[in-house]
Amino acid sequence: MSMMKTFARLRDGAAVSVFALASLNAVTPALAQTPPQNAAAPDEGATIVVTGSLLSRANAETPSPVSVITSETLTRAGVTNMADAIRQASADGAGSIGIGFTSGFSAGGSAVSLRNLGVSSTLVLVDGLRSANFPLSDDGHNSYVDLASIPQVNVQRVEVLKDGASSTYGADAIGGVVNIITRKQFNGIEGGAESGISQEGDGQKYRLRLLAGYGDYDSQGWNLYVGGEYEKGGKVTANSRGFPFNTLDLRAIGGVDNNRADDTLGTATTDAVVTRVTQTDLNNPLAGSVANATTPAVFTSLTPLGNCRFGTYSENTASRVGTACAHDLTREYVQILPKQERYAGVARFSFRLNDDIEGYVAGSYSHNKVDITLLPRSIRQNQAFGGAPATSTTNPGIVLPVWICPSGVNCADPATPGRTLNPNNPYAAAYANNPAAGAARIYYLFGDVKAGSVRTNELYRITSGLRGTFADTWNWNVEAGYSRDDLKLVQTGFANLNGLTRAINTGSYNFVNPGLNSQAVRDSVLPPITSLSNSSEFTVDASLTHSFFTLPGGDLQVAIGGQYRKEKLTNRSANPNLDVPGLSTAQAYGNRDVWAGYFEIDAPILDSLEVNASGRYDHYSEGFSHFSPKFGAKFTPIKQISLRGTYSKGFRAPTFAEIDPRSSFSGFVGFNPSTSPDAVAFRQAHAANAAYIANYSLGRGYVGNPDIKPEKSRSFTLGVVFEPTRNISFTADYFNVKKTDLIVTGPLTGDAIRAYYSVAGQTFASADAASAAGCAAVAAVGAGYSCNVIDGADPFALTALPRLLVVNAPYVNANYDVTTGLQFGANAQFDISDNVRLQSRLDLQATLKFNRHLDDGKVQRFVGTVGPADLSSGGGTPKWRGNWQNTLTVGKVSLTATTYYVGSMKGVATDQGNLDTSCAATIYKDASGGNSFCKIKTFVYADLNATVEVNENFSFFGFIGNFTNAGAPLYANTLYTTQPNYLASWHLPGLIGRTFRVGANFKF
């Protein structure tokens, strides 16, 4: 799409908004780094410090592009938390984490990914100091600060530096820096209350906030304030939003039916079905035969067919015969948005010791709870990553015995007290005298216990500092901060293997009517699994600045400083004993010290030319060090035009998940043998079993590598600021970032998967022989690649190649990324009359290139596609993102609207084994095998906000989100089926639909 077409789309979106009015929303950039008219601009002649610099200056214009978001901007835009405020920025790109993505490793957290470089390459600061990371790593290894856990009640502004900043802040600032700046003093009291709901009657939202302060700092030399906020949000289900976001069956619009729960007897549902097999060890439910006892296999529903809630279906083929209850599990269970609750408190005491020294002590606490519901867990699960194949309930399955008894041991022995025929096994009576031949392999989802998690995140933070001057011209600053993030994760719906085995052998669990199970029985089989994790960050930072002499453009300033940090992480595995099949074993540990020294020089050589240089040396206790330089310049030949540019180098330190050998995880991405071009022979071999060739989760396993090196970056920006009048300004900035020595998880994983399935067309004596050949092909791909878990043989194709369930892949420094783009902004203010004002702002980014260069010379291109799909949520890389905001103020009434734009994409992902970016590589094929589902349409929506100031103390507002009720574009999502046919990263407002909120604010 051309630039003109994109601007036209924004224009049309605003026209649809009825009155092209939009506000200073949370992402509105302060173009040319000029604070908004309604912001607390510095007094004439005052000096300020801008994110990315250590030195004070007369204005916010620096060589680097910096956007400023004020607290008033957030209020007028209807933004109520920092996650929403920051993630809507047009610079937020691939890998961004939203609260709507509920199935990831760090589901429940929220993070920003500036310049598409990933959440671990975006540094988040609070008042210039780091904060503890969320204890769970995104994608199992990427660290980030949880935006949803940062209080908003005392935020004064947010500065977003969209440039490399390792020369000032050290590691992880490759993509940019988000600096959340809180109020230094506050005197008085202010607060507000609001409530809202979606047009569908769900997604309720409530918020309260209060901030109170006392003490006149200027006259008394001290100020104290305290504040708090509370926010609660209701859930939104997929079924409430209807087709196509509530099903995997897209036949009605020319797609295929990927819902196997209404046509394939081997698909587990909450109504159990069984088929007869033999059992070699009558004490072990895992000792069922791979082969079925009859041909065709006869399946029997344990639920009486008259009790099926959604009707029945039947199969009558040469392979399977039977009737079972029909289900559409997506419709029944998937959530678009989980329930969430937040509350937080803040306090700050500021004091002045004398005319030369002042200080502060500040603290905050945040409690963030997210209640996630997922699909019910199956009784058939892979063994835990790293566990023995004998612990898998999938391979070859789990069976119900003929005899049960109170002890659960030797129940088939007539001498065992209390033995009885198993009421859960419909074959028990017929095989009472031959129990080894009467076992019932069961296919079942535990629907009587909620499957999901409750994640309670508590973030504690305390900081203090002193600053002052000596000898009139030397300025010093010392600050210390400690933060700790405690996470309590309670997961439900997973069966403990020991409890499940005992319940099966004793018959205590009722599979015929699970609703009759007591809570005690459920807890014995599926106990809540609680894991506690935490991370902490301690920082001491000291700096000294001085103006040495005067140049034609002003004083030459120099700053030097040093920093010490202690970082810790304890992310405990939820499955340390490997006794819960299917439950993640992800864990990460680390403890390191970081020492750093830094400097900055700012030289205003001429009134029209400013040159800046900075650098920082970081040393990590793991044994690596890095020096990060940066150079910048700003040239203003005439007052109306400024040219600016920067060049910098930076680095990203390995996370604890990547570098500590105690850390490991296995990640899963959807894989569909039915659409993979490399699995044609596999599909043919398993044609008799549709469930075996349906979409499934294919895992990748990784272990921390102590020899891994930091990622490195080289970036430069070139920009122009054009301000023809005081009230109108335009900006355009080009960015180019090259990130090398990428810490990647198996760059050849796609090749390894293809290699495994490449042997499917060969003839083998057994499934074991077939998988051995496939695994040999995997090992030949490269060092560190191997099979970890292989599925059980297909009962209907016993000698065919089984499915690959988990492949081992290494952490390596490999490849490099090149990301380029353009950032546009426009800012205008018109005083139409003494009582009428119109403000208009534009924030737009075009990602021109996001390419991953592989070691073999191949290039994965991601712009305009859903790649890189292996990043969290598989949100993809839209080429264009932007928003246009206008505010019309008439007296005490202001009307604001914000139009948001997300460009179109293709349903292709080059990190999934195919480098083609044309629609021929569409991951989801339609019913005829074609590519009609390739394009994901442009998404445009708008919010409205009206505020009425009753007087200087009270105001009321009404907010309509997505007021045109624009629908989310369709994306047939086979990679993340928990996001059925949509992208949560970019299209969530189109899924929620129109929303309403009303509230009141006060201040004294």
Side-chain angles (χ1 to χ4, degrees):
M1 181 180 295
S2 69
M3 188 185 306
M4 293 304 297
K5 287 184 178 179
T6 300
F7 276 93
R9 291 272 193 177
L10 285 167
R11 177 202 63 206
D12 295 343
V16 171
S17 302
V18 180
F19 19 64
L21 304 174
S23 100
L24 313 170
N25 85 328
V27 296
T28 302
L31 302 176
Q33 290 77 54
T34 302
Q37 186 70 24
N38 58 2
D43 297 333
E44 193 73 27
T47 58
I48 59 175
V49 177
V50 179
T51 298
S53 176
L54 304 169
L55 301 166
S56 60
R57 53 196 306 112
N59 57 60
E61 293 183 15
T62 72
S64 295
V66 180
S67 295
V68 179
I69 306 164
T70 69
S71 59
E72 186 173 0
T73 293
L74 301 179
T75 300
R76 296 177 66 182
V79 174
T80 61
N81 57 71
M82 297 313 301
D84 290 342
I86 297 169
R87 286 194 63 256
Q88 293 178 26
S90 66
D92 185 30
S96 176
I97 306 173
I99 197 69
F101 183 56
T102 58
S103 61
F105 284 92
S106 58
S110 182
V112 61
S113 171
L114 295 179
R115 301 300 197 215
N116 302 297
L117 295 175
V119 296
S120 60
S121 291
T122 299
L123 182 62
V124 175
L125 307 173
V126 180
D127 289 326
L129 293 175
R130 293 178 181 240
S131 189
N133 287 322
F134 193 61
L136 300 187
S137 300
D138 174 45
D139 283 331
H141 66 104
N142 291 315
S143 297
Y144 67 91
V145 172
D146 177 28
L147 299 176
S149 294
I150 298 176
Q152 185 179 329
V153 65
N154 67 331
V155 170
Q156 183 179 48
R157 68 184 184 276
V158 180
E159 295 179 352
V160 182
L161 171 65
K162 294 169 286 189
D163 192 11
S166 289
S167 66
T168 301
Y169 302 111
D172 314 331
I174 291 175
V177 178
V178 174
N179 192 8
I180 300 166
I181 299 171
T182 63
R183 302 191 196 204
K184 302 303 178 283
Q185 295 96 35
F186 176 74
N187 200 342
I189 184 171
E190 70 175 33
E194 63 183 84
S195 65
I197 196 169
S198 78
Q199 183 171 285
E200 302 299 324
D202 54 11
Q204 298 86 349
K205 189 167 187 176
Y206 309 96
R207 185 176 184 241
L208 299 170
R209 63 180 181 87
L210 183 67
L211 186 67
Y214 183 76
D216 188 319
Y217 190 79
D218 292 335
S219 62
Q220 296 176 282
W222 64 272
N223 177 262
L224 171 69
Y225 71 72
V226 295
E229 61 187 2
Y230 175 83
E231 183 175 1
K232 185 174 184 178
K235 69 179 180 181
V236 175
T237 66
N239 192 48
S240 67
R241 295 312 184 257
F243 185 86
F245 304 118
N246 65 345
T247 183
L248 300 181
D249 183 357
L250 297 181
R251 289 176 296 174
I253 53 176
V256 296
D257 182 7
N258 281 332
N259 173 33
R260 297 278 75 88
D262 63 358
D263 62 10
T264 306
L265 291 167
T267 299
T269 74
T270 53
D271 292 294
V273 297
V274 296
T275 186
R276 189 170 64 84
V277 297
T278 60
Q279 185 177 8
T280 57
D281 181 351
L282 299 183
N283 286 320
N284 183 8
L286 300 179
S289 170
V290 172
N292 298 295
T294 61
T295 303
V298 177
F299 284 77
T300 303
S301 173
L302 296 189
T303 300
L305 296 179
N307 294 342
C308 294
R309 292 170 294 162
F310 308 106
T312 64
Y313 70 93
S314 298
E315 276 195 277
N316 188 7
T317 69
S319 302
R320 286 184 302 277
V321 173
T323 301
C325 298
H327 286 270
D328 190 328
L329 300 171
T330 301
R331 192 186 308 268
E332 296 171 43
Y333 293 100
V334 169
Q335 288 185 346
I336 290 173
L337 196 66
K339 291 192 296 184
Q340 47 199 305
E341 183 180 42
R342 301 175 53 251
Y343 55 83
V346 300
R348 180 181 173 110
F349 178 62
S350 300
F351 56 89
R352 186 169 57 243
L353 296 178
N354 55 45
D355 291 341
D356 295 324
I357 301 175
E358 59 182 351
Y360 75 93
V361 178
S364 66
Y365 166 79
S366 176
H367 174 106
N368 187 26
K369 180 179 179 181
V370 182
D371 190 343
I372 297 171
T373 297
L374 300 171
L375 294 179
R377 321 286 188 188
S378 175
I379 195 173
R380 294 166 57 88
Q381 291 281 353
N382 301 335
Q383 68 264 31
F385 174 64
T391 64
S392 172
T393 57
T394 293
N395 182 11
I398 194 160
V399 299
L400 308 179
V402 169
W403 292 96
I404 58 174
C405 59
S407 68
V409 179
N410 298 328
C411 299
D413 187 342
T416 301
R419 76 171 191 144
T420 184
L421 291 175
N422 189 350
N424 290 310
N425 184 344
Y427 318 118
Y431 290 89
N433 296 324
N434 186 14
R441 181 191 293 133
I442 185 170
Y443 299 81
Y444 173 65
L445 300 178
F446 289 99
D448 58 330
V449 175
K450 174 205 167 187
S453 65
V454 176
R455 302 182 180 224
T456 304
N457 192 44
E458 295 182 299
L459 179 62
Y460 307 82
R461 179 181 171 87
I462 184 168
T463 59
S464 63
L466 290 171
R467 67 176 182 176
T469 61
F470 64 89
D472 293 330
T473 59
W474 294 84
N475 300 309
W476 58 271
N477 185 66
V478 178
E479 289 186 286
Y482 175 80
S483 56
R484 179 183 171 100
D485 196 324
D486 288 338
L487 179 70
K488 179 181 180 181
L489 171 61
V490 181
Q491 300 188 75
T492 53
F494 283 103
N496 178 277
L497 185 58
N498 296 326
L500 177 61
T501 298
R502 179 170 178 79
I504 288 175
N505 286 344
T506 62
S508 62
Y509 190 94
N510 190 333
F511 291 101
V512 175
N513 189 349
L516 298 179
N517 289 315
S518 67
Q519 190 60 46
V521 167
R522 290 170 180 158
D523 288 344
S524 69
V525 178
L526 305 105
I529 300 169
T530 300
S531 54
L532 303 176
S533 299
N534 63 79
S535 65
S536 64
E537 179 95 24
F538 173 69
T539 302
V540 178
D541 191 281
S543 63
L544 183 67
T545 64
H546 180 62
S547 298
F548 281 93
F549 52 84
T550 301
L551 296 171
D555 291 343
L556 182 141
Q557 296 185 81
V558 177
I560 60 172
Q563 186 181 87
Y564 166 78
R565 295 202 316 273
K566 164 73 76 172
E567 300 176 350
K568 293 183 179 180
L569 173 65
T570 300
N571 173 18
R572 298 180 178 89
S573 170
N575 194 7
N577 299 321
L578 306 180
D579 56 356
V580 184
L583 179 59
S584 171
T585 61
Q587 58 186 5
Y589 299 91
N591 182 350
R592 65 185 171 204
D593 300 291
V594 184
W595 294 267
Y598 52 82
F599 73 89
E600 181 179 356
I601 302 172
D602 188 73
I605 298 175
L606 303 170
D607 285 338
S608 58
L609 178 63
E610 173 190 353
V611 176
N612 183 280
S614 57
R616 176 173 171 133
Y617 178 81
D618 288 87
H619 176 73
Y620 282 70
S621 56
E622 286 105 332
F624 58 86
S625 304
H626 196 272
F627 176 71
S628 306
K630 183 173 183 176
F631 304 92
K634 180 166 67 75
F635 176 54
T636 309
I638 59 175
K639 181 178 180 181
Q640 292 78 14
I641 296 178
S642 293
L643 305 177
R644 61 189 181 191
T646 64
Y647 176 88
S648 64
K649 292 186 176 183
F651 74 107
R652 179 179 79 81
T655 66
F656 290 130
E658 296 164 338
I659 198 171
D660 196 299
R662 297 172 295 172
S663 304
S664 65
F665 86 98
S666 57
F668 292 84
V669 175
F671 179 78
N672 196 325
S674 293
T675 59
S676 172
D678 305 298
V680 175
F682 180 83
R683 296 195 301 273
Q684 294 172 346
H686 299 277
N689 189 354
Y692 207 84
I693 56 176
N695 188 77
Y696 73 99
S697 294
L698 200 164
R700 291 94 158 130
Y702 313 97
V703 176
N705 178 3
D707 297 323
I708 207 76
K709 298 183 296 183
E711 295 181 346
K712 301 173 185 176
S713 71
R714 181 276 303 148
S715 65
F716 66 85
T717 66
L718 295 172
V720 59
V721 180
F722 176 49
E723 195 169 2
T725 71
R726 181 178 179 273
N727 296 328
I728 300 175
S729 64
F730 304 92
T731 64
D733 290 278
Y734 169 80
F735 63 88
N736 184 303
V737 183
K738 181 178 182 181
K739 189 162 69 165
T740 59
D741 285 335
L742 298 183
I743 301 175
V744 296
T745 50
L748 302 178
T749 299
D751 293 338
I753 295 170
R754 294 172 61 186
Y756 178 84
Y757 283 103
S758 69
V759 307
Q762 302 176 26
T763 301
F764 299 98
S766 66
D768 287 343
S771 62
C775 292
V778 170
V781 168
Y785 293 90
S786 63
C787 296
N788 183 274
V789 182
I790 302 297
D791 201 359
D794 180 357
F796 304 95
L798 293 175
T799 62
L801 181 71
R803 290 188 300 190
L804 174 64
L805 298 182
V806 179
V807 60
N808 290 323
Y811 281 116
V812 295
N813 290 105
N815 317 332
Y816 65 91
D817 284 349
V818 176
T819 304
T820 68
L822 295 169
Q823 181 82 38
F824 300 99
N827 182 17
Q829 177 177 295
F830 305 97
D831 292 323
I832 300 173
S833 69
D834 292 341
N835 204 38
V836 180
R837 173 183 295 168
L838 175 65
Q839 294 169 293
S840 182
R841 301 196 175 202
L842 175 72
D843 176 23
L844 180 66
Q845 178 170 302
T847 301
L848 303 179
K849 183 186 296 183
F850 180 13
N851 293 349
R852 177 155 298 164
H853 295 254
L854 307 181
D855 286 352
D856 59 4
K858 297 178 181 178
V859 180
Q860 297 172 343
R861 293 176 171 84
F862 300 130
V863 173
T865 76
V866 294
D870 281 345
L871 281 181
S872 183
S873 81
T877 311
K879 181 175 182 180
W880 291 94
R881 282 198 71 207
N883 53 81
W884 186 20
Q885 307 88 17
N886 300 282
T887 299
L888 178 64
T889 302
V890 181
K892 294 185 177 181
V893 179
S894 65
L895 183 63
T896 66
T898 306
T899 301
Y900 297 93
Y901 177 90
V902 180
S904 63
M905 290 179 280
K906 295 178 182 177
V908 302
T910 55
D911 60 336
Q912 299 304 300
N914 190 340
L915 298 179
D916 186 5
T917 59
S918 73
C919 281
T922 301
I923 299 172
Y924 182 94
K925 302 297 183 181
D926 59 30
S928 63
N931 306 313
S932 60
F933 286 81
C934 176
K935 187 174 181 180
I936 306 165
K937 295 181 179 179
T938 295
F939 179 48
V940 181
Y941 72 99
D943 297 338
L944 281 180
N945 186 41
T947 301
V948 179
E949 292 185 9
V950 178
N951 53 44
E952 63 181 8
N953 301 121
F954 292 95
S955 65
F956 299 91
F957 73 89
F959 177 84
I960 305 177
N962 188 8
F963 83 97
T964 61
N965 207 27
L970 170 68
Y971 165 50
N973 195 342
T974 62
L975 298 176
Y976 292 91
T977 54
T978 53
Q979 299 177 75
N981 306 319
Y982 63 82
L983 289 171
S985 293
W986 316 123
H987 302 150
L988 189 62
L991 297 163
I992 306 301
R994 188 181 289 116
T995 60
F996 305 92
R997 294 206 316 269
V998 294
N1001 297 308
F1002 66 89
K1003 58 182 178 181
F1004 295 95

